[in-house]
């Protein structure tokens, strides 16, 4: 088996789910695609990361998860769920 050279402590599973970035008290949303997902975080595809705050809620269906950005490029970002394993801020 290949070794996991990733920096995260929890493996993520590939997925392709439509989601929304929700911020500004729920008044602002940005469509995104969840590309991989774990209990601790996710990788998101977005048209642009411009205007996305460092912390926001990720809406996936009926689920709303508070998260913060760990890294970002021009069209992708990695987020950590703030409520993962009781580590809410």
């Amino acid at each position: 088996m290949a070794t996991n050279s990733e920096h995260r402590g929890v493996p993520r599973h590939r997925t392709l789910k439509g989601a929304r970035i929700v911020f500004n008290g729920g008044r602002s949303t940005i469509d995104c695609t969840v590309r991989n997902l774990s209990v601790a975080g996710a990788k998101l595809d977005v048209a642009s990361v411009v205007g996305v705050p460092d912390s926001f809620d990720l809406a996936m269906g009926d689920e709303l998860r508070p998260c913060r950005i760990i890294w970002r490029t021009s069209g992708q970002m990695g987020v950590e769920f703030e409520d993962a394993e009781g580590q809410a801020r």
Side-chain angles (χ1 to χ4, degrees):
M1 284 195 192
T3 60
N4 186 356
S5 63
E6 297 177 354
H7 296 261
R8 66 184 70 95
V10 179
R12 293 185 180 179
H13 303 281
R14 290 183 189 197
T15 188
L16 186 61
K17 293 182 177 186
R20 287 177 296 129
I21 294 167
V22 181
F23 58 101
N24 197 17
R27 294 183 300 270
S28 301
T29 63
I30 297 172
D31 290 332
C32 65
T33 302
V34 180
R35 299 299 298 201
N36 63 38
L37 183 66
S38 78
V39 295
K43 177 181 171 185
L44 308 177
D45 282 349
V46 292
S48 172
V49 296
V50 175
V52 178
D54 292 335
S55 294
F56 54 85
D57 291 324
L58 182 64
M60 297 179 288
D62 293 336
E63 186 178 15
L64 195 65
R65 301 285 305 267
C67 56
R68 66 182 180 96
I69 297 174
I70 302 299
W71 60 266
R72 63 175 97 198
T73 64
S74 61
Q76 296 182 324
M77 65 181 76
V79 299
E80 175 181 65
F81 296 132
E82 293 183 344
D83 59 355
E85 299 181 30
Q87 297 177 6
R89 290 180 126 288

